[in-house]
Amino acid sequence: MKRIALAAVFCLPIQMIAQQSVAEIKFHAQTDFFKLPPDLYFGEAAGVAVNSKGHVFVFSRGGTTGPAYGAAAAQLLEFDAGGNYVREIGQHLYAWSFAHAVKIDKEDNIWVADKGSDMVIKFSPEGRILMVFGRKQEASDEGTGPLKHVKPTLPPIDGEFRQVTDMAWDAAGNTYISDGYINSRIAKIDKDGNWIKSWGEPGTGQGQLSTPHSIATDDLGNVYVADRGNGRIQVFDGDGKFLREIHINVPYDHKIRPWMGNKPSEIPPTAEAPAPLNKTMLSGSPWAICITPGPGQVLFASDGYPGRIYKLTLDGKVLGVLGASGHGPGQFGWIHELACPSENTLYAAELLNWRVQKLTLEPTQ
């Protein structure tokens, strides 16, 4: 098996990065797994999740309506374990505005985060609404429009979100919601829907966040946050206590071209030339994360450039890498959400390629 050098750490912010060897994981990619009806199309595939029956849910920026700027772009589709189309859920839902993430809880309830309406919706397995969180702006309000990224940021408000991104749960049924592009915090809600607390604020220090973009929990109840703008994964306990952070720094072929945009600077940070404030497009910066079911849980993470997926232990050791930026099978254009129902089966939802790939991985040694 081909091996490449890597640097990866889990530690406090200033660190020396140790070199080690990591496997390049062999895998098979299916770009035609999902069978859509003739008159139905994916838009940007923002979210993907799998329930206990192996059914796959895709939250796509399809079914677009409205003007070119500010159009509603959210459509939730269900497929069976063989990729056959089953149904659309929530057609014309009041919360549909700009799809961001979909997740399935242990009772097979379907949860979605809509960045455009600032809402999180909980559906029953049958597709009926059970709970709503947050509130969409009223269309009749004077001055209704895009949220402002002002500095200093406005203080967050309990029960409200500003460009919400994702959700995850612990064994007690508490929900953790990453919020988001503006608020830069994690909200905790109990199983009955009561707001318990939130933690986090904009910044680069421990417990501070810059676009918490994806979130996952392990069997111990620890909360993993893809702190994308800071180029790291932060790990907290269920009450928001900072535990550690994970940095992914795996060398790659610099000839790889980004799917979109210029190549990000690869000059290592120094005291005289600090790293960019926003690390979203730097190698290893986590866009999407997922944790496999136990026992023996592992963490998967993806970046925007060079467009790879990384397999890690929960304490941050990189076990292998796969993929690269591109248009073909096994290549990726901005993976926005990952679903990992097992260690060797992944679903990767891509924004730029308008698709979800099913990936079958060969076991790592």
Side-chain angles (χ1 to χ4, degrees), residues 151-171:
K151 291 185 179 181
T153 58
L154 298 173
I157 300 171
D158 288 357
E160 294 185 10
F161 306 115
R162 294 192 180 109
Q163 298 189 355
V164 65
T165 55
D166 199 5
M167 53 260 128
W169 305 271
D170 61 21

Side-chain angles (χ1 to χ4, degrees), residues 124-168:
S124 71
E126 294 75 32
R128 306 309 302 175
I129 295 172
L130 299 178
M131 289 187 185
V132 297
F133 302 92
R135 188 166 189 258
K136 182 179 179 180
Q137 294 185 68
E138 292 185 13
S140 60
D141 279 355
E142 183 178 355
T144 294
L147 297 176
K148 305 298 183 183
H149 293 252
V150 298
K151 291 185 179 181
T153 58
L154 298 173
I157 300 171
D158 288 357
E160 294 185 10
F161 306 115
R162 294 192 180 109
Q163 298 189 355
V164 65
T165 55
D166 199 5
M167 53 260 128

Side-chain angles (χ1 to χ4, degrees), residues 88 151 179 185 299 309 328:
E88 179 178 352
K151 291 185 179 181
D179 172 39
R185 65 171 175 173
L299 169 71
I309 298 174

Side-chain angles (χ1 to χ4, degrees), residues 290-293 296-300 311-314 319 340 343:
C290 67
I291 295 177
T292 60
Q297 293 183 292
V298 295
L299 169 71
F300 287 94
K311 179 181 179 180
L312 304 93
T313 63
L314 296 187
L319 301 173
C340 47
E343 187 170 346

Side-chain angles (χ1 to χ4, degrees), residues 216-269:
T217 53
D218 65 20
D219 285 346
L220 298 177
N222 296 319
V223 181
Y224 296 69
V225 180
D227 186 11
R228 189 177 73 175
N230 285 322
R232 64 188 176 184
I233 299 169
Q234 292 200 68
V235 187
F236 305 89
D237 70 12
D239 289 319
K241 178 184 176 182
F242 174 85
L243 300 178
R244 62 183 181 274
E245 63 184 44
I246 298 169
H247 293 261
I248 303 170
N249 186 11
V250 181
Y252 63 93
D253 183 355
H254 287 233
K255 295 179 181 178
I256 294 173
R257 300 179 65 87
W259 197 105
M260 176 182 289
N262 300 325
K263 287 185 180 181
S265 171
E266 294 299 328
I267 300 173

Side-chain angles (χ1 to χ4, degrees), residues 16-17 40-41 73 77 152 213 215 223-224 245 261 264 276 292 295-296 300 341-342 348 361:
M16 294 298 293
I17 300 177
L40 195 62
Y41 303 90
L77 306 177
H213 194 261
I215 191 169
V223 181
Y224 296 69
E245 63 184 44
T292 60
F300 287 94
S342 73
L361 282 57

Side-chain angles (χ1 to χ4, degrees), residues 33 82 119 136 178 184 188 205 224 247 249 279 305 336 359:
F33 178 75
M119 297 193 72
K136 182 179 179 180
S178 49
S184 298
K188 182 177 181 179
Y224 296 69
H247 293 261
N249 186 11
K279 301 180 180 180
Y305 178 78
H336 198 260
L359 310 176

